[in-house]
Amino acid sequence: MKNVGNANYVQIDHEIQTHENEGAIILPSPEAYKRFKWTKEYFEEKPKEGYFIWVRKSSDRPLVTRISISSKNVSQNPINLVVIEENVNAEIYNVCNALKKNLCGNHTGYSKIILKENSRLVMNHFHRWGKEDVVNSGLEISLGKESEISEVYKCLEVPMEMKMENNTYLKEGSSANLVITILAKEGEVKMHDSTFLNGRESRGISRMRMIGDKKSRIVAHSRMIANDAGTGHVDCMGLLLAKDSSINAIPELINNNKDASLTHEASVGKISEEVLNYLRSRGLTEDQAIDLVVAGFLGEEEPITIEGRIVPSKS
């Protein structure tokens, strides 16, 4: 296995390597299922592949996972479990990608993240796929009392077909700040994102940033459900770049508690001619102007580096 960088868990096709990190136990999911009986509470069935990360102490060094498709017609089914112990701070970078554009791969992944009381997690997902791949992903996040998560998901090269379902459950005093960014081109994306405010003074923010380029279709359903006296906000923004693309943004607020406060905003449109004319007047071509607006809309930043090394997102 080559070019695995500084990752703690690497899976290329079905070949796996793990590297320990101070304060954390990192294992393939099947090994963790066998070794720790308590994991059966979180794994619905014995996993065949995927990673297990148990963070027991805070560390200044982020954890890095990478799952890649490298060969033709590979079908992956990683089942991942992340557990953050009480009063622990952690940071995780996750890369999922296809190493070539024409592999016809199938990636069906499911991740469960457990934050125990007063823990903190910063989670960053970077996904890139080939045009002939099919991707189905599920994510469940459970926050304990007074815990916090900040999660960013970015997919700037979508597969032929991608389905996502995310569910976040908040207890008393916990907070979740979730951002999903999608740039769709020649692909179909269906997303369902739900946040459940199940404790007093819980706080949830869900943001979606979507760009529809040529021959793309995005359907994004974002729900904020208040079952207790929490505060939630849904923010959906879409930008259409081509006549043969479409974005269907569906924000939904469900309030089951009179003391809860839920808000939302949503917009889908195109780049204004006024903005393009201004940028062209500054010497940019139309393509350069569009690229600049798209980068700003997606919140693009410098490449992610850990201890001086760039986290790989393409290869």
Side-chain angles (χ1 to χ4, degrees):
M1 186 180 290
K2 299 179 180 180
N3 299 323
V4 298
N6 57 340
N8 300 99
Y9 175 92
V10 179
Q11 178 177 331
I12 297 181
D13 293 340
H14 302 291
E15 186 181 354
I16 294 170
Q17 283 186 5
T18 61
H19 303 279
E20 289 295 328
N21 181 288
E22 182 182 359
I25 292 177
I26 301 157
L27 297 169
S29 293
E31 186 176 337
Y33 183 90
K34 181 178 179 181
R35 181 172 166 183
F36 301 114
K37 292 183 179 180
W38 59 266
T39 63
K40 294 177 175 60
E41 176 184 352
Y42 303 112
F43 287 120
E44 295 183 2
E45 58 185 23
K46 184 178 180 179
K48 296 181 179 179
E49 57 188 350
Y51 58 78
F52 165 81
I53 298 176
W54 182 15
V55 185
R56 300 188 294 178
K57 295 181 181 179
S58 298
S59 174
D60 294 332
R61 183 179 179 185
L63 294 154
V64 181
T65 71
R66 176 178 169 187
I67 300 177
S68 300
I69 294 176
S70 178
S71 305
K72 264 290 198 186
N73 300 315
V74 166
S75 292
Q76 293 178 324
N77 185 24
I79 307 298
N80 309 312
L81 174 62
V82 176
V83 179
I84 313 296
E85 285 294 339
E86 292 183 9
N87 304 307
V88 168
N89 297 335
E91 187 171 3
I92 298 175
Y93 291 85
N94 166 262
V95 176
C96 289
N97 62 358
L99 300 183
K100 299 177 183 178
K101 303 302 181 186
N102 58 346
L103 296 178
C104 302
N106 188 308
H107 176 93
T108 300
Y110 181 79
S111 297
K112 185 173 288 189
I113 300 173
I114 310 297
L115 278 75
K116 297 190 178 180
E117 185 172 336
N118 199 40
S119 61
R120 307 285 184 273
L121 176 62
V122 175
M123 191 95 180
N124 293 278
H125 302 266
F126 304 96
H127 289 199
R128 290 182 184 268
W129 302 104
K131 293 303 180 186
E132 299 179 14
D133 298 329
V134 175
V135 175
N136 290 275
S137 69
L139 174 64
E140 179 181 327
I141 303 173
S142 295
L143 284 81
K145 184 178 179 181
E146 301 293 339
S147 62
E148 297 179 7
I149 187 169
S150 176
E151 188 219 3
V152 174
Y153 172 92
K154 285 191 175 185
C155 185
L156 304 186
E157 293 183 21
V158 302
M160 174 177 62
E161 180 181 328
M162 181 167 72
K163 295 180 181 179
M164 297 172 54
E165 182 172 353
N166 301 339
N167 293 291
T168 304
Y169 302 91
L170 286 76
K171 290 186 178 179
E172 180 182 347
S174 63
S175 66
N177 189 343
L178 313 174
V179 181
I180 297 174
T181 300
I182 298 288
L183 197 165
K185 186 176 182 179
E186 297 178 348
E188 182 174 344
V189 179
K190 294 181 180 179
M191 298 183 288
H192 286 81
D193 179 74
S194 299
T195 302
F196 298 85
L197 306 176
N198 293 334
R200 293 188 64 82
E201 298 183 359
S202 55
R203 302 172 303 280
I205 298 176
S206 176
R207 297 185 177 94
M208 286 191 178
R209 298 292 181 265
M210 303 160 286
I211 290 186
D213 207 337
K214 65 178 183 178
K215 297 181 180 179
S216 67
R217 181 171 181 264
I218 301 174
V219 178
H221 192 169
S222 184
R223 300 194 304 162
M224 186 69 61
I225 304 101
N227 295 317
D228 209 328
T231 302
H233 180 71
V234 171
D235 179 4
C236 300
M237 294 181 65
L239 189 61
L240 286 169
L241 301 184
K243 292 181 179 180
D244 55 359
S245 63
S246 68
I247 297 175
N248 186 359
I250 312 167
E252 183 178 4
L253 305 180
I254 303 173
N255 197 337
N256 298 316
N257 188 286
K258 66 181 181 62
D259 295 320
S261 176
L262 304 180
T263 58
H264 80 79
E265 55 184 314
S267 65
V268 177
K270 65 177 184 177
I271 302 175
S272 73
E273 287 298 323
E274 182 179 359
V275 170
L276 290 178
N277 289 337
Y278 171 78
L279 293 174
R280 285 194 292 257
S281 74
R282 308 298 291 182
L284 298 181
T285 66
E286 182 169 346
D287 287 343
Q288 289 172 332
I290 291 173
D291 288 345
L292 183 61
V293 173
V294 167
F297 184 84
L298 295 177
E300 286 295 271
E301 63 274 303
E302 294 298 316
I304 298 297
T305 60
I306 298 175
E307 297 181 345
R309 302 185 65 176
I310 295 176
V311 176
S313 60
K314 292 187 177 181
S315 59

